[in-house]
Amino acid sequence: MDYCLEMTNYQLSISLLQDFSVLKAFDCGIEAMNKFIRNDFQMSVENHFCEAYCVYSDKELIGLFALSFDSIDLDNDDKEDLQSGFSTFIPDIDYNYEDTFYSKRRYPALDIAYLAIQKNWRGKHIGTAIISEISNRAKNQRFAGCQFLTVEAYATNDYSAVDFYINCGFSPSELKNPNKDTLRMFMTLYSKE
């Protein structure tokens, strides 16, 4: 499953990760993530936790991401935020379906299980382009229903991806737990912008 990702300054290609040896030299600049990517990422893929993809510029590996199916439970506060527009994007729901939508407890989602960009490629909007591509593909796929993207954004004292995901349109779905290294976030795929 190879395809191209067009960016203003770069021609990127995305392909299914099949050769895990390409990850041995991967360096996203965050040691805990590097350790996982180099040592344990393959087990996640092989045990069907996620499907992994590589992002290349020419033949240089510049990023990787992994996706898995998910669902999201929205509490009444989350639903009120969506309805009022306080959330980043208001869901674009058919008026006749609105009561049914908001009465649901669980919503189908696609989880960005991992996303990492090589250290020397960070700051070039590669991650933003990947999020946009994932969003577009999730909206247009016909395999299963999908209304949200979810992510456990890495958030430690040394590094946090929370602001990156907020800038991409995600909202926190919980308060930051000081005992976790991540913050669960979500973004609606069908929105009134």
Side-chain angles (χ1 to χ4, degrees):
M1 176 171 144
D2 291 350
Y3 56 95
C4 290
L5 177 60
E6 297 286 332
M7 289 186 62
T8 306
N9 298 325
Y10 308 104
Q11 173 82 20
L12 305 179
S13 63
I14 298 175
S15 60
L16 195 60
L17 174 60
Q18 296 179 358
D19 177 9
F20 288 89
S21 69
V22 301
L23 301 180
K24 293 299 177 197
F26 191 87
D27 182 6
C28 68
I30 303 153
E31 198 48 47
M33 288 179 69
N34 285 338
K35 182 179 176 187
F36 175 80
I37 289 166
R38 294 176 191 150
N39 301 322
D40 299 324
F41 192 50
Q42 184 173 354
M43 285 189 299
S44 292
V45 174
E46 289 173 348
N47 286 285
H48 302 282
F49 175 76
C50 58
E51 196 68 57
Y53 300 88
C54 291
V55 181
Y56 291 95
S57 176
D58 292 319
K59 294 190 186 277
E60 180 185 358
L61 175 64
I62 65 168
L64 65 106
F65 64 94
L67 304 172
S68 62
F69 291 114
D70 195 9
S71 65
I72 185 168
D73 295 326
L74 298 179
D75 63 23
N76 287 335
D77 289 339
D78 293 327
K79 291 176 185 180
E80 287 172 14
D81 288 349
L82 288 172
Q83 288 174 306
S84 69
F86 180 75
S87 183
T88 307
F89 292 110
I90 304 167
D92 187 13
I93 303 162
D94 181 293
Y95 176 76
N96 296 320
Y97 182 65
E98 193 169 319
D99 288 342
T100 302
F101 177 85
Y102 285 112
S103 69
K104 293 188 177 295
R105 293 189 41 137
R106 184 167 289 212
Y107 300 85
L110 181 65
D111 186 55
I112 301 170
Y114 305 102
L115 173 62
I117 306 298
Q118 286 273 26
K119 181 170 60 176
N120 58 327
W121 281 84
R122 287 176 49 192
K124 298 180 187 210
H125 307 288
I126 306 296
T128 304
I130 291 169
I131 296 290
S132 180
E133 183 68 14
I134 292 168
S135 175
N136 289 335
R137 289 191 172 257
K139 287 177 191 177
N140 295 313
Q141 61 83 29
R142 293 288 170 237
F143 183 68
C146 187
Q147 295 175 314
F148 292 92
L149 289 181
T150 59
V151 67
E152 288 280 339
Y154 195 68
T156 66
N157 291 335
D158 296 329
Y159 176 81
S160 177
V162 171
D163 287 341
F164 164 76
Y165 285 106
I166 288 172
N167 290 334
C168 289
F170 285 77
S171 298
S173 64
E174 60 187 26
L175 296 175
K176 174 71 174 110
N177 179 337
N179 299 319
K180 281 177 55 178
D181 288 344
T182 61
L183 175 64
R184 185 154 169 84
M185 303 180 78
F186 70 95
M187 177 178 80
T188 183
L189 289 173
Y190 302 94
S191 60
K192 298 175 187 170
E193 299 184 52

